[in-house]
């Protein structure tokens, strides 16, 4: 009752996100509804983990959890009442801005990348893996501050070598070690996603838009070259390596893919190429850390990163609303469709290899 919903700005497997106004202060917040439909009893473990993690983290580039509120039981929520996480509100997300056709300058890209790396370096220093870095989870407010959001798949990590699920990270941003079945991994998985975001900002389109796991790993090999045990020690021991290798041989014979990095990214600035290469190293052991990436020459040479407060102000835009606009445009008469026209970008949720049993899809908490 303290908050008045204004509009829905997001939706996912976790539930819905609404822009809402605090009735007392007039301040805008984001209300993230915790999805309870699938819970026979108790509270979802992923929501508990997200709340615990956000209570511990306190950084200007990580979204702030303000409080937890409940709503009264009604027909709408099947007589159960709903639980909401109250977050600080941001006017945009990165995917919403790029979908709306926003073109970023080099100083703007450097500013966003620097903030993303600062937020992630803080998470990794505090032993937290995000495990779902993508444009729609990078919020941007009107002060130009970028904030990591949606910690629904995040989890604490340690050096105990405990097995973790590889069914994390949206497909286009998922690193090769997870696609090949690794269950022992660390911060390097987030850094691959950062590399994909960086390339997307520079080229203004997703670089690895696979439709399923095999197509995704195939795209990675075609872009960066087929790895070997020499270039990536331990590669052949990964769970799905032999299956992927067999499928590749059936399609292409024994011919490995050469790297096409220069062909795809050769037009970029030399320092940008170096940083991209370090972020998208196939072997996770060779991938640059967030802390080291912040010291990369890319950020210390002209043109220098813009300051957040110098960034332009944009009309409010989130991936959810941009997608809705496209759907409305598709239903509109042909004469009206031109005014809606925008570049399309979707983030498919992977359905999985046909050969992999359902057991591998379960979250190992």
């Amino acid at each position: 009752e303290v908050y008045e919903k204004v509009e829905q700005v997001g939706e996912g497997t976790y539930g819905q996100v609404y822009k809402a106004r605090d009735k007392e202060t007039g301040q805008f917040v984001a209300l993230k509804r915790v999805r309870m439909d699938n819970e026979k009893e108790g509270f979802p473990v992923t929501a508990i983990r997200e709340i615990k993690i956000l209570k511990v983290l306190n950084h200007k580039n990580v979204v702030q959890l303000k409080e937890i509120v409940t709503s009264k039981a009604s027909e709408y929520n099947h007589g159960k009442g709903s639980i909401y996480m109250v977050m600080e509100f941001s006017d945009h997300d990165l995917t919403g801005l790029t979908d709306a056709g926003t073109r970023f300058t080099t100083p703007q890209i450097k500013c966003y990348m620097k903030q993303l790396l600062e937020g992630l370096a803080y998470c990794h220093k505090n032993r937290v893996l995000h495990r779902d870095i993508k444009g729609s989870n990078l919020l941007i407010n009107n002060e130009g501050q970028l904030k990591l959001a949606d910690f629904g798949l995040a989890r604490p990590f340690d050096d105990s070598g405990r097995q973790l699920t590889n069914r994390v990270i949206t497909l286009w941003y998922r690193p090769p070690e997870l696609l090949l079945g690794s269950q022992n991994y660390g911060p390097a998985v987030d850094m691959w996603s950062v590399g994909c975001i960086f390339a997307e900002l520079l080229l203004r389109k997703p670089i690895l838009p696979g439709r399923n796991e095999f197509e995704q790993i195939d795209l990675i090999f075609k872009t960066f070259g087929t790895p070997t045990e020499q270039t990536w020690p331990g590669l052949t021991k990964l769970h799905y390596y032999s299956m992927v290798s067999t499928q590749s041989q059936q399609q292409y014979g024994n011919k490995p893919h050469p790297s096409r990095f220069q062909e795809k990214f050769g037009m970029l600035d030399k320092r940008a190429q170096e940083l991209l290469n370090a972020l998208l190293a196939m072997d996770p052991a060779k991938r640059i850390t967030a802390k080291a990436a912040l010291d990369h020459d890319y950020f210390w040479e002209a043109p220098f990163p813009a300051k957040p407060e110098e960034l332009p102000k944009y009309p409010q835009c989130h991936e959810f609303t941009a997608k809705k606009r496209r759907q409305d445009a598709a239903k509109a008469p042909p004469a009206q469709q031109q005014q809606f026209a925008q570049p399309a970008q979707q983030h498919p949720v992977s359905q999985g290899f046909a050969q992999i049993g359902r057991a591998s899809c379960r979250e190992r908490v």
Side-chain angles (χ1 to χ4, degrees):
E1 290 70 47
V2 176
Y3 300 100
E4 176 192 358
K5 284 180 188 170
V6 178
E7 61 177 323
Q8 188 174 344
V9 292
E11 186 165 37
T13 47
Y14 51 78
Q16 296 87 20
V17 179
Y18 300 92
K19 178 181 181 181
R21 186 187 289 107
D22 185 320
K23 290 176 184 174
E24 274 187 33
T25 65
Q27 186 185 22
F28 287 114
V29 296
L31 291 182
K32 181 173 177 176
R33 182 168 168 259
V34 177
R35 194 172 186 147
M36 303 288 280
D37 324 2
N38 304 327
E39 298 302 313
K40 291 184 176 62
E41 54 184 64
F43 198 72
V45 67
T46 50
I48 291 172
R49 194 185 281 161
E50 182 172 12
I51 291 164
K52 279 180 75 175
I53 285 171
L54 285 175
K55 279 183 76 176
V56 169
L57 299 179
N58 179 22
H59 190 270
K60 67 182 191 300
N61 298 121
V62 175
V63 75
Q64 185 192 3
L65 174 66
K66 290 173 173 286
E67 61 175 339
I68 310 291
V69 294
T70 59
S71 65
K72 287 177 179 161
S74 67
E75 275 183 39
Y76 164 72
N77 50 45
H78 311 296
K80 279 185 178 176
S82 296
I83 297 166
Y84 295 87
M85 294 161 68
V86 184
M87 317 272 204
E88 58 181 320
F89 179 75
S90 291
D91 305 86
H92 326 284
D93 61 49
L94 201 56
T95 299
L97 288 177
T98 51
D99 265 16
T102 311
R103 293 189 167 216
F104 301 117
T105 63
T106 300
Q108 287 169 353
I109 290 171
K110 287 186 178 186
C111 175
Y112 287 139
M113 281 300 296
K114 206 170 166 205
Q115 293 186 77
L116 167 55
L117 289 164
E118 280 174 2
L120 212 44
Y122 173 80
C123 290
H124 292 167
K125 186 183 171 191
N126 284 277
R127 316 294 281 172
V128 170
L129 300 177
H130 186 282
R131 303 200 303 183
D132 200 16
I133 299 288
K134 58 179 176 178
S136 57
N137 287 342
L138 303 178
L139 304 182
I140 296 163
N141 64 22
N142 268 336
E143 283 71 56
Q145 286 180 314
L146 180 144
K147 292 174 184 285
L148 291 177
D150 195 351
F151 282 73
L153 287 176
R155 68 160 299 148
F157 70 95
D158 53 37
D159 300 319
S160 66
R162 189 191 309 158
Q163 290 198 330
L164 306 171
T165 176
N166 48 45
R167 310 293 296 177
V168 288
I169 305 181
T170 299
L171 191 58
W172 295 2
Y173 305 91
R174 196 178 301 170
E177 63 269 28
L178 295 192
L179 289 160
L180 291 170
S182 174
Q183 291 180 279
N184 294 102
Y185 56 82
V189 296
D190 285 338
M191 300 314 295
W192 177 274
S193 308
V194 170
C196 295
I197 293 282
F198 185 34
E200 209 167 301
L201 286 170
L202 294 167
L203 302 185
R204 295 199 287 274
K205 63 178 182 184
I207 58 159
L208 299 163
R211 287 170 298 184
N212 55 53
E213 270 106 335
F214 179 73
E215 191 175 300
Q216 190 67 28
I217 197 74
D218 195 42
L219 268 174
I220 291 171
F221 287 178
K222 280 177 179 168
T223 306
F224 303 103
T226 307
T228 63
E229 188 65 30
Q230 285 69 45
T231 60
W232 178 353
L235 167 72
T236 53
K237 294 185 180 72
L238 293 174
H239 196 51
Y240 302 139
Y241 173 77
S242 57
M243 183 180 71
V244 170
S245 187
T246 305
Q247 278 190 268
S248 291
Q249 281 174 14
Q250 285 168 359
Q251 278 198 3
Y252 311 110
N254 281 325
K255 203 175 172 190
H257 295 296
S259 171
R260 291 172 60 210
F261 187 90
Q262 271 307 114
E263 183 189 325
K264 287 207 166 247
F265 309 110
M267 80 299 289
L268 300 174
D269 164 76
K270 183 172 174 281
R271 296 297 185 205
Q273 283 186 56
E274 286 172 5
L275 178 56
L276 195 58
N277 213 358
L279 288 164
L280 295 172
M282 294 284 272
D283 179 356
K286 294 172 187 160
R287 222 168 280 155
I288 196 168
T289 64
K291 188 171 182 286
L294 282 165
D295 281 334
H296 195 277
D297 289 344
Y298 175 71
F299 296 108
W300 303 97
E301 289 186 0
F304 295 104
K307 293 187 172 71
E309 60 272 18
E310 295 169 352
L311 296 174
K313 304 273 188 283
Y314 304 105
Q316 184 183 308
C317 193
H318 297 90
E319 182 194 33
F320 177 80
T321 46
K323 204 169 168 183
K324 200 163 179 293
R325 229 185 356 255
R326 282 200 303 275
Q327 287 165 350
D328 292 343
K331 292 173 195 166
Q336 290 177 25
Q337 285 189 12
Q338 198 57 39
Q339 71 190 66
F340 283 107
Q342 284 183 8
Q345 180 183 333
Q346 294 173 318
H347 298 284
V349 176
S350 151
Q351 295 305 311
F353 290 127
Q355 298 96 321
I356 300 170
R358 289 185 180 277
S360 69
C361 302
R362 295 194 195 108
E363 167 77 85
R364 294 172 184 81
V365 296

